[in-house]
Amino acid sequence: MEGQDEVSAREQHFHSQVRESTICFLLFAILYIVSYFIIRRYKRKSDEQEDEDAIVNRISLCLSTFTLAVSAGAVLLLPFSIISNEILLSFPQNYYIQWLNGSLIHGLWNLASLFSNLCLFVLMPFAFFFLESEGFAGLKKGIRARILETLVMLVLLALLILGIVWVASALIDKDAASMESLYDLWEFYLPYLYSCISLMGCLLLLLCTPVGLSRMFTVMGQLLVKPTILEDLDEQIYIITLEEEALQRRLNGLSSSVEYNIMELERELENVKTLKTKLERRKKASAWERNLVYPAVMILLLIETSISVLLVACNILCLLVDETAMPKGTRGPGIGNASLSAFGFVGAALEIILIFYLMVSSVVGFYSLRFFGNFIPKKDDTTMTKIIGNCVSILVLSSALPVMSRTLGITRFDLLGDFGRFNWLGNFYIVLSYNLLFAIVTTLCLVRKFTSAVREELFKALGLHKLHLSDTSRDSETSKPSANGHHKAL
C-alpha cells in the first residue's frame, strides 16, 4: 500500500512538473512573438540583404527578441504574482485554478532571474560582439571566424568583469572566509554580480522615474485632443495652409543646385504638414473627446502620482518605526495564504496599476534624459546595434522594477528566487535614503512641471526671458509662428 502511494505521489509530481513547464513555455512563447513583431517594426529594412551579414543580423535579432521577451516577463511577473495570490484566496477549492499554485510562481521567478542573468551577461554581449566582429587576421573569413572572435572577446570580457568584482569585494570585505567564498562561482559570484547590476538598475530607476512621472503629463497631452478654449481652429488651419502653400512655392522655385536650402525647406514643410494634421484632428474630435477624456486622463495621472508619493512617504515612516518594513525583512505567509494588501482585492488592483504606471514612467523618463535621447528607436530605421542597446536598457529597468517596488513600499510581495538575495536590501541607510530621494525628486519634478507656465510668464514680465534662464522647451508643446507674425499655442 505504501508503495502504491509512493508511486502515485511520484506520478502526481511528474504531471505537475509537466504542467508547469508547459504553462511557462506557452507564456514565454506569447511574449517572444509579441517582442518579435515589436522589434521588426523598428528594425531597419536595409539590413535584410541575403549574405553573411544577413545571417549575423538574423541571429542578433533572435537574441534581442529573447531579451525583450525576458524583460516583458520580468515586468509582468510581479503583477501576475499579486493577482494570482488574490485569485487563490478568493477561490481556494476551485478545480480550474489548481494549476495556479505557489510552485508555479516560484518557478517563474527563478526562471526570470536565470534568464535575466543569461541575457545580461552572455546573450547581449555575444550579439553585440558578433555584429562588430570580422574574424581574426590570417583566418578564413566567414561565420565560424566571426563566432571564434566573438567567443574570445566574451572570455576576455568575463575575466575582466569577474576580476573587477573580486577585487572590489575583497577591498570592501576583508574577511578571509568571504574572500575564499568568491571562488564559488554559482553560489556567490553570479548572485553578487547580479546584485550590483540590480543596484545600478535601481539607481537608474531613481533617476528616470521622477522625470518620467512629470513627463507623462506632456506625453499624454500630445496623444490626446486638448479642449479648445478661446481658440479658433478654422483660423489656425487657414493660416497654416497659407504657410504650407508659401513653402511649397518657394521649394518649387529653387534650383536643384541649392541643396542645403532645399533640405531646410523640406524639413520645415514636413513640420508644417504635421502641425496641420494635428489641427485637423483636433477639429474633427468630438466634444466628449475634447472636454471629457483629456481632463479625466490628466486627473487620473495626478491621482496616481500623488498616491505613489504618499505610499513612499508612509513607507518612510514604517521604516523608522518597524524593522519588518525592510525589503529583506521577515518572510510573508506565502502564495494563497493571506492577502498582500490591507484593502484586499481592491488594494492589490491598485498596486498592479501603480507598478505598470511606474514602469511606463521610467521608460518615458529614460528616453527623456539627454544622455539617452539618441537611444530612441525610429520606425523602420533603427540599426541592430541600437536595438541591442535598447533591449539591454529595458532589461536592466525591468529587472530592477520588482526590487524598486518592494523597496518603496508599493507592494509587500516578498521577492522570490534570486531577486531576493541582494545584500544591500538589508542596509537600513541605503533603503531609507532611496525612499527619501525618490519622494523629494518626484515632488520637485512635479512642482517644476506645474509651475513652469507661471515661471515663464514672470520671466517675460520682468524681461528675463531673453537670458534663457528657464529650460522648458522639452516640456512645452511646439509653438509655431503664424503668417501674420503672432505666436499661437497649438
Side-chain angles (χ1 to χ4, degrees):
M1 193 68 180
E2 294 180 359
Q4 292 180 355
D5 293 340
E6 184 178 353
V7 172
S8 177
R10 284 202 302 266
E11 289 179 354
Q12 187 177 2
H13 178 71
F14 173 76
H15 288 305
S16 65
Q17 291 291 327
V18 172
R19 183 174 63 247
E20 292 173 7
S21 301
T22 305
I23 293 172
C24 294
F25 176 78
L26 290 176
L27 292 176
F28 185 78
I30 294 173
L31 293 177
Y32 187 90
I33 293 172
V34 174
S35 302
Y36 177 78
F37 283 109
I38 292 175
I39 293 181
R40 291 284 297 182
R41 176 181 175 84
Y42 292 99
K43 183 177 178 295
R44 179 178 292 178
K45 301 302 181 182
S46 60
D47 292 342
E48 297 180 353
Q49 65 273 14
E50 290 295 332
D51 54 7
E52 179 183 315
D53 291 334
I55 299 176
V56 173
N57 280 323
R58 209 168 291 128
I59 295 174
S60 300
L61 175 64
C62 293
L63 297 179
S64 301
T65 305
F66 184 86
T67 302
L68 188 59
V70 172
S71 304
V75 172
L76 297 174
L77 187 54
L78 184 56
F80 178 77
S81 303
I82 295 173
I83 197 68
S84 299
N85 183 72
E86 299 301 324
I87 291 176
L88 289 174
L89 282 175
S90 301
F91 309 98
Q93 303 298 329
N94 195 314
Y95 174 78
Y96 296 101
I97 61 170
Q98 291 301 311
W99 58 272
L100 197 62
N101 49 37
S103 177
L104 174 64
I105 304 299
H106 279 264
L108 288 174
W109 278 91
N110 288 325
L111 286 176
S113 178
L114 175 63
F115 287 155
S116 297
N117 281 282
L118 181 65
C119 294
L120 197 58
F121 300 125
V122 179
L123 298 185
M124 285 294 93
F126 178 86
F128 176 76
F129 289 131
F130 196 37
L131 275 176
E132 302 296 328
S133 64
E134 297 180 355
F136 291 113
L139 295 178
K140 184 179 179 180
K141 300 298 181 182
I143 297 296
R144 291 184 178 180
R146 298 179 73 161
I147 292 177
L148 178 61
E149 180 183 352
T150 303
L151 292 177
V152 172
M153 293 297 296
L154 281 178
V155 171
L156 294 177
L157 180 64
L159 292 176
L160 177 63
I161 293 178
L162 293 178
I164 292 175
V165 173
W166 189 88
V167 172
S169 179
L171 291 175
I172 295 173
D173 189 1
K174 299 181 181 180
D175 185 24
S178 66
M179 294 179 65
E180 290 177 1
S181 67
L182 286 172
Y183 295 101
D184 193 346
L185 181 66
W186 185 258
E187 290 296 327
F188 182 83
Y189 230 142
L190 289 179
Y192 181 78
L193 182 59
Y194 191 61
S195 177
C196 297
I197 298 297
S198 175
L199 179 59
M200 293 175 57
C202 287
L203 294 177
L204 183 60
L205 282 175
L206 181 62
L207 181 64
C208 298
T209 307
V211 177
L213 289 174
S214 62
R215 282 281 297 171
M216 283 294 291
F217 294 91
T218 303
V219 172
M220 295 306 296
Q222 294 172 352
L223 295 177
L224 299 176
V225 178
K226 288 186 176 182
T228 55
I229 302 175
L230 301 179
E231 284 187 281
D232 190 351
L233 292 179
D234 292 329
E235 179 187 356
Q236 294 183 24
I237 293 175
Y238 176 72
I239 293 173
I240 208 71
T241 302
L242 292 179
E243 186 175 352
E244 180 185 3
E245 293 175 355
L247 289 173
Q248 190 66 50
R249 286 195 297 268
R250 288 179 58 190
L251 190 61
N252 295 333
L254 286 177
S255 61
S256 58
S257 59
V258 192
E259 184 177 355
Y260 177 76
N261 290 336
I262 291 178
M263 292 178 60
E264 286 291 328
L265 286 176
E266 287 179 348
R267 191 179 301 111
E268 189 174 354
L269 182 62
E270 188 67 27
N271 293 334
V272 169
K273 288 181 178 179
T274 303
L275 198 58
K276 183 180 177 181
T277 303
K278 293 180 179 180
L279 287 173
E280 291 176 347
R281 178 173 177 267
R282 292 184 61 190
K283 183 179 179 181
K284 294 178 181 179
S286 62
W288 287 95
E289 185 179 359
R290 287 197 304 265
N291 302 322
L292 182 63
V293 176
Y294 181 83
V297 171
M298 290 299 159
I299 293 174
L300 183 62
L301 291 179
L302 183 60
I303 292 174
E304 290 180 348
T305 307
S306 303
I307 292 175
S308 301
V309 176
L310 183 62
L311 287 177
V312 174
C314 294
N315 189 55
I316 293 174
L317 296 178
C318 292
L319 287 172
L320 295 175
V321 299
D322 188 5
E323 294 182 356
T324 60
M326 290 289 293
K328 212 171 183 179
T330 58
R331 281 287 179 180
I335 300 294
N337 295 327
S339 179
L340 300 174
S341 174
F343 301 100
F345 191 84
V346 176
L350 179 61
E351 289 181 2
I352 294 174
I353 293 173
L354 290 178
I355 289 170
F356 279 120
Y357 181 57
L358 289 177
M359 184 60 198
V360 174
S361 300
S362 65
V363 174
V364 172
F366 175 80
Y367 289 117
S368 300
L369 297 176
R370 294 183 179 179
F371 183 76
F372 301 107
N374 295 328
F375 270 53
I376 300 177
K378 299 179 181 178
K379 183 182 177 182
D380 297 332
D381 192 29
T382 308
T383 61
M384 276 307 305
T385 304
K386 187 175 289 187
I387 288 176
I388 292 173
N390 279 275
C391 290
V392 171
S393 304
I394 294 176
L395 177 63
V396 172
L397 293 176
S398 61
S399 299
L401 179 66
V403 184
M404 186 192 75
S405 302
R406 181 68 179 91
T407 305
L408 295 178
I410 303 297
T411 179
R412 295 297 176 186
F413 186 80
D414 288 318
L415 304 173
L416 304 175
D418 288 338
F419 282 99
R421 298 175 60 183
F422 308 142
N423 295 328
W424 60 271
L425 289 177
N427 192 309
F428 172 77
Y429 297 102
I430 293 179
V431 174
L432 181 62
S433 301
Y434 192 90
N435 281 264
L436 287 171
L437 284 174
F438 182 88
I440 294 172
V441 175
T442 302
T443 304
L444 290 177
C445 288
L446 290 176
V447 169
R448 176 187 176 275
K449 170 67 182 177
F450 289 107
T451 60
S452 59
V454 178
R455 188 171 63 250
E456 283 294 308
E457 293 300 326
L458 288 176
F459 283 151
K460 289 180 182 179
L462 296 175
L464 299 177
H465 62 285
K466 298 179 181 180
L467 301 178
H468 303 286
L469 295 178
S470 65
D471 185 17
T472 57
S473 59
R474 293 176 64 89
D475 291 341
S476 61
E477 294 190 53
T478 305
S479 179
K480 291 286 184 180
S482 60
N484 56 6
H486 298 287
H487 287 269
K488 288 187 176 291
L490 303 178

